[in-house]
Amino acid sequence: MIKISFPDGSVREYEAGISPMDIAKSISHGLASKVLVAEVNSQKWDLTRTIDTDATLKLFTWEDKEGKETYWHSSAHLMAEALEAIYPDTKFGIGPPIENGFYYDIDLGGKAISSEDLAAIEKKMRQLVEAKSPFIRTEVSKKDAISYFSEKQDPYKLELLEDLTDGQITFYQQGAFTDLCRGPHIPNTGYIKSIKLMSIAGAYWRGDEKNQMMTRIYGITFPKQVDLDAYLEMLEEAKRRDHRKIGKELEIFAFDDMVGQGLPLWLPNGGIIIEELEKLAKESEDADGYHRVVTPHIAKEEMYLTSGHLPYYEDSMFPPMEIDGTKYYLRAMNCPHHHKVFDAIPKSYKDLPYRIAEYGTCYRYEQSGELMGLMRVRSLHMNDAHIYCTKEQFAEEFKKVNAMYLKYFKLFGIASDGYKMRLSLHEPSKLGSKYINAPELWKETEEMVREVLINSGVPFEEVADEAAFYGPKIDVEMRSQIGRWFTLSTNQVDFNSGNKFGLTFKNANNEDETPLIIHRAPLGTHERYIAFLIEHFAGNFPTWLAPQQVAILPISDKFMDYGKTILHHLKETGVRVKLDERNEKIGKKIRDAEMMKVPYMIVIGQKDIDEGKVSVRIHGKGDVGSMPLEEFSQHIQIEIQERAIEHLIK
């Protein structure tokens, strides 16, 4: 008998050679009908693969990330089987699961394939599903694996085999298709119910532009048709909310080839949104005792060598400029500059915590294929700040930063289930390569962060091997209205830079002591945060954030003077307002204001002049009636001052 330990702490005994699926059946047939993959002793495991020794066991369903990944990985193999059936000479690269679905990189030997061909591949996949072919795992020697793929004349699999160790190579076969794969997979192809191949793209083998250009086919599958239908509907909504589309329509930002890839131009409307976000950040930071600083966009190589960014981050930095024999780099991060600000004036323990903030411009060399609207750019404006404190002050300071995050979530109407915090930890095996080699400090600071999160009652999940190279961090992910998750903000601990830069303060005993450093950016970067807000609000910004808050729309020229009176009054109170003086019909003026998603419209006719009132329309809702100008003015001022998420005028 063997002992199987479950996540809830319970232990059961079974005959050696039992499979995870049989264990699931012993628990309940309902569980067995839902489970997709297992984890045995922290290793992903096929449900049909036997367990011969005492083990810990986890079972994953569609509701789990691990379940979806396995389902989609198996779907990629199903698509490959269909492709090989239709195009027998196909050579296969890799076919991994991705965030939503899967892809497979293939080489059709010069044959052309287009989106019109996807329907035939889908049809073949559905036929293969009917066979309910089991995914069969086989351990093979490296010699036999090379022989198999040499016979198939598949150079991509042969190249992958070069990096694999003999004795650790497995094949998976379903139906007539065999692939080099470590697995695991779902039990059989019959589990795959609803299929949609999404698109075709080009992709260099192994992401290297020097290699062969392959054909990448994207697809997605679901256990139920209703789930696929909901996903496709969500994609349509995503297209309507796409920040690139809305940003162009609302004249928020633009890109220009002459300026360069990934370098956004903020148009006047975008400039207003930036100003409002900076105003919000400055108010919050002033209230919390931050000092505002300004630092250069470049620095000498020596500073980035000292910080460690060049050894660890050089691939993401622009190449250096050499001036008078000295190399200068465009800054990819603000922290080294801020450390020098801290160091410029001697500090004592009475000056701590010392908080400095800057909306600093950074430049990062993102690969051209990874650039995407404002989400991935090469020029970014970061809501950066650094807090220099003692270990005793750390918990309170870290807690205050998290409170700032929560304030912003509420302000933008992000519900408690609309964000999550990920505590990113180091990987001990990568100390000295990916992470600073200081195991005791890693252990201490990770526990400090964990303790603050627990004591604050903030929900979080722990993720291994995603820390910054100098310490653990919290990455904040937010979900937009279409269910899309954005990693927007960060809160990081740094136990390394203080020593690297020789930063000290005089403690109560008049001795030099090195501060602990917190890096934080609650509003992330303008680029990424505004992209999120555009998609979150679908361009229908709350009044305080809208580039234009009121449009005055006279029915004809004879009401223009009254319109100018309203314009002057609202401008005096700080409202962003424009008077539409075009010789156009009122219907077109209203439509144009609606297209630009202006929150409020004031339509002026004779009755408004006679009664000394204004007729008010709300974007997307229509007329809400007439009221005295002063009453409207008071309402909108309160709405702006309170940064209300909804209109106060109903």
Side-chain angles (χ1 to χ4, degrees), residues 17 147 157 162 185 315 339 430 462 466 518 547 566 601:
S147 175
K157 297 299 182 184
E162 292 175 4
H185 286 281
D315 289 346
H339 301 334
K430 297 180 181 179
E462 297 191 10
E466 290 190 10
I518 298 173
I566 298 169
M601 286 155 268

Side-chain angles (χ1 to χ4, degrees), residues 368-540:
S368 59
E370 296 177 349
L371 299 174
M372 200 280 281
L374 294 179
M375 286 296 175
R376 294 293 292 269
V377 292
R378 290 174 172 169
S379 169
L380 45 149
H381 302 75
M382 191 176 297
N383 172 222
D384 222 349
H386 294 84
I387 302 169
Y388 302 81
C389 63
T390 65
K391 285 186 179 180
E392 294 73 24
Q393 294 168 334
F394 169 80
E396 184 62 26
E397 291 302 306
F398 209 78
K399 185 177 178 181
K400 281 183 180 179
V401 172
N402 286 338
M404 191 179 287
Y405 284 110
L406 297 176
K407 169 188 170 181
Y408 293 153
F409 296 157
K410 183 177 180 181
L411 186 64
F412 293 117
I414 300 167
S416 58
D417 63 349
Y419 65 88
K420 56 186 177 184
M421 296 194 176
R422 293 160 56 91
L423 172 53
S424 300
L425 309 173
H426 80 298
E427 168 52 52
S429 65
K430 297 180 181 179
L431 289 174
S433 56
K434 185 176 179 180
Y435 303 108
I436 298 298
N437 191 9
E440 291 305 315
L441 282 173
W442 277 106
K443 182 178 179 181
E444 180 183 10
T445 51
E446 287 177 349
E447 185 54 37
M448 288 166 63
V449 176
R450 186 181 291 113
E451 188 175 330
V452 172
L453 289 171
I454 292 171
N455 292 340
S456 301
V458 177
F460 69 98
E461 61 180 0
E462 297 191 10
V463 185
D465 200 19
E466 290 190 10
F469 73 85
Y470 46 64
K473 64 176 179 172
I474 292 174
D475 286 323
V476 183
E477 295 186 345
M478 287 190 280
R479 188 181 65 193
S480 69
Q481 294 291 344
I482 56 173
R484 182 176 172 185
W485 287 94
F486 294 76
T487 301
L488 295 178
S489 313
T490 189
N491 193 6
Q492 305 176 356
V493 187
D494 184 347
F495 56 74
N496 177 63
S497 297
N499 289 321
K500 284 274 190 179
F501 281 87
L503 306 182
T504 61
F505 64 93
K506 293 292 184 182
N507 62 24
N509 298 321
N510 202 34
E511 298 168 335
D512 285 339
E513 189 174 324
T514 301
L516 193 64
I517 304 169
I518 298 173
H519 304 240
R520 46 109 287 189
L523 290 175
T525 66
H526 286 324
E527 290 72 17
R528 201 167 180 83
Y529 216 94
I530 290 174
F532 166 77
L533 291 175
I534 290 172
E535 297 193 4
H536 182 67
F537 291 118
N540 299 308

Side-chain angles (χ1 to χ4, degrees), residues 59-283:
L59 298 172
F60 300 107
T61 70
W62 175 259
E63 302 305 319
D64 302 303
K65 177 184 176 184
E66 293 85 350
K68 287 186 176 70
E69 287 179 346
T70 303
Y71 192 91
W72 286 332
H73 185 194
S74 300
S75 299
H77 279 234
L78 176 67
M79 182 176 72
E81 183 182 2
L83 284 163
E84 191 170 63
I86 298 171
Y87 308 99
D89 295 329
T90 303
K91 311 303 179 191
F92 294 93
I94 58 172
I98 52 177
E99 182 180 2
N100 287 302
F102 57 90
Y103 69 78
Y104 217 121
D105 288 342
I106 61 172
D107 182 347
L108 292 165
K111 291 188 180 71
I113 187 172
S114 68
S115 55
E116 285 74 26
D117 299 307
L118 297 183
I121 302 169
E122 276 183 27
K123 182 179 179 181
K124 187 63 179 178
M125 289 174 70
R126 294 190 186 95
Q127 291 173 357
L128 295 171
V129 163
E130 296 300 318
K132 298 183 179 179
S133 301
F135 285 89
I136 301 170
R137 178 181 183 273
T138 306
E139 296 180 2
V140 296
S141 68
K142 189 168 185 176
K143 178 182 176 182
D144 288 344
I146 291 172
S147 175
Y148 178 82
F149 285 109
S150 294
E151 187 176 341
K152 292 195 73 172
Q153 298 181 357
D154 194 324
Y156 307 104
K157 297 299 182 184
L158 289 171
E159 185 176 327
L160 291 174
L161 279 166
E162 292 175 4
D163 301 327
L164 299 183
T165 302
D166 198 2
Q168 298 179 9
I169 297 171
T170 54
F171 282 2
Y172 274 85
Q173 178 185 351
Q174 92 276 0
F177 180 73
T178 299
D179 205 354
L180 173 69
C181 178
R182 68 167 56 94
H185 286 281
I186 57 178
N188 65 67
T189 58
Y191 279 57
I192 301 169
K193 304 297 184 183
S194 302
I195 301 167
K196 180 65 178 176
L197 299 187
M198 305 300 298
S199 62
I200 295 176
Y204 291 109
W205 169 236
R206 291 191 149 183
D208 189 337
E209 61 186 16
K210 296 177 183 177
N211 289 337
Q212 172 72 27
M213 172 67 77
M214 305 185 76
T215 299
R216 176 171 294 179
I217 303 179
Y218 289 94
I220 195 163
T221 53
F222 288 91
K224 298 177 183 178
Q225 183 63 36
V226 66
D227 294 331
L228 176 58
D229 293 341
Y231 176 76
L232 295 176
E233 185 177 335
M234 182 272 289
L235 287 184
E236 288 303 312
E237 180 63 17
K239 289 179 184 177
R240 289 191 286 270
R241 289 175 178 263
D242 191 319
H243 77 277
R244 293 166 295 184
K245 174 178 176 289
I246 295 175
K248 182 177 181 179
E249 292 170 351
L250 300 188
E251 300 172 0
I252 293 173
F253 66 93
F255 289 94
D256 190 285
D257 286 341
M258 191 176 289
V259 176
Q261 280 188 304
L263 302 172
L265 298 169
W266 291 100
L267 307 180
N269 285 345
I272 290 170
I273 298 173
I274 285 175
E275 286 179 3
E276 289 296 334
L277 290 177
E278 288 196 10
K279 188 190 301 182
L280 169 65
K282 289 175 181 177
E283 287 177 11

Side-chain angles (χ1 to χ4, degrees), residues 283-409:
E283 287 177 11
S284 300
E285 290 161 1
D286 287 347
D288 280 352
Y290 285 78
H291 305 283
R292 190 150 300 278
V293 300
V294 178
T295 58
H297 291 213
I298 64 172
K300 292 165 65 176
E301 177 185 46
E302 178 186 1
M303 188 162 79
Y304 296 121
L305 286 171
T306 300
S307 70
H309 284 103
L310 268 179
Y312 286 94
Y313 207 75
E314 186 172 10
D315 289 346
S316 295
M317 297 176 70
F318 275 87
M321 302 168 279
E322 189 161 325
I323 303 171
D324 297 332
T326 301
K327 290 181 179 179
Y328 287 81
Y329 283 85
L330 286 170
R331 68 176 175 190
M333 63 297 296
N334 301 306
C335 33
H337 294 74
H338 287 190
H339 301 334
K340 287 298 182 181
V341 170
F342 177 89
D343 196 41
I345 303 173
K347 306 284 190 305
S348 82
Y349 69 96
K350 295 180 181 180
D351 297 310
L352 272 55
Y354 191 77
R355 312 175 188 94
I356 55 177
E358 175 184 18
Y359 253 110
T361 306
C362 297
Y363 304 88
R364 295 180 181 173
Y365 186 72
E366 301 283 359
Q367 296 296 316
S368 59
E370 296 177 349
L371 299 174
M372 200 280 281
L374 294 179
M375 286 296 175
R376 294 293 292 269
V377 292
R378 290 174 172 169
S379 169
L380 45 149
H381 302 75
M382 191 176 297
N383 172 222
D384 222 349
H386 294 84
I387 302 169
Y388 302 81
C389 63
T390 65
K391 285 186 179 180
E392 294 73 24
Q393 294 168 334
F394 169 80
E396 184 62 26
E397 291 302 306
F398 209 78
K399 185 177 178 181
K400 281 183 180 179
V401 172
N402 286 338
M404 191 179 287
Y405 284 110
L406 297 176
K407 169 188 170 181
Y408 293 153
F409 296 157

